[in-house]
Amino acid sequence: MKEEENKLESHGIKPTAVRMLVWQEVCNKSETFSLADVERWMPYTERSSIFRALKLFAEHHLLHIIDDGTGIQKYCVCRCEHNHHINHIHFNCLKCGKTYCLEDYAIPIVEMPEGFKMQEAEYVVKGICKSCMQ
């Protein structure tokens, strides 16, 4: 418990009871998740409290937000060093709907035209995951 508390504090987040519960629930997830997923995992916790915790974690670089084109905001635990996200590829399975972080595959560098400065990049590959291919 102390390790999770230290993690929140090291990112400038006061470790309240609800935040600790939400962080404990999501911190070991290896695939992406939505607000609805966390609600399902924590049926006795208020939706607005979960949402506020997820939003705060994303703002403080503990989670990153993924737009996989499904219309449902997804989150993934940030495993990056410091406060900078590693721009990695995400894979959305068209069969099961899961979105995976492919952390070992970097987004290719995109040259920007003069007068443009890239802040973020989203790279989503769509197809069929290995579980659905079996």
Side-chain angles (χ1 to χ4, degrees):
M1 180 84 118
K2 190 66 176 166
E3 187 178 324
E4 289 95 355
E5 205 172 306
N6 289 340
K7 181 75 168 179
L8 294 183
E9 288 177 341
S10 73
H11 281 77
I13 298 172
K14 182 179 177 184
T16 65
V18 170
R19 291 174 186 162
M20 289 294 297
L21 289 171
V22 173
W23 180 246
Q24 287 171 345
E25 194 62 50
V26 303
C27 73
N28 294 316
K29 302 298 181 203
S30 60
E31 49 187 67
T32 64
F33 53 88
S34 66
L35 172 60
D37 292 328
V38 182
E39 283 182 281
R40 205 170 36 258
W41 304 330
M42 302 179 70
Y44 301 108
T45 307
E46 215 176 275
R47 175 185 175 94
S48 61
S49 297
I50 295 170
F51 175 76
R52 284 192 304 272
L54 294 175
K55 185 174 186 257
L56 185 65
F57 297 161
E59 289 170 354
H60 288 261
H61 308 288
L62 287 169
L63 299 178
H64 60 140
I65 297 171
I66 301 159
D67 179 2
D68 62 5
T70 62
I72 299 170
Q73 185 166 285
K74 302 224 176 109
Y75 303 89
C76 187
V77 175
C78 184
R79 306 203 193 292
C80 307
E81 297 290 322
H82 313 293
N83 285 338
H84 301 315
H85 289 305
I86 297 168
N87 291 326
H88 59 267
I89 295 172
H90 295 99
F91 183 91
N92 177 252
C93 180
L94 297 170
K95 193 168 184 180
C96 68
K98 288 183 182 176
T99 298
Y100 300 88
C101 286
L102 304 180
E103 294 175 350
D104 294 333
Y105 298 89
I107 293 175
I109 294 173
V110 178
E111 292 294 324
M112 295 277 94
E114 191 170 325
F116 292 84
K117 180 181 178 187
M118 182 172 65
Q119 298 283 2
E120 296 179 16
E122 289 284 334
Y123 196 100
V124 178
V125 175
K126 295 179 182 242
I128 308 297
C129 71
K130 62 183 175 184
S131 297
C132 290
M133 299 229 333
Q134 297 175 0

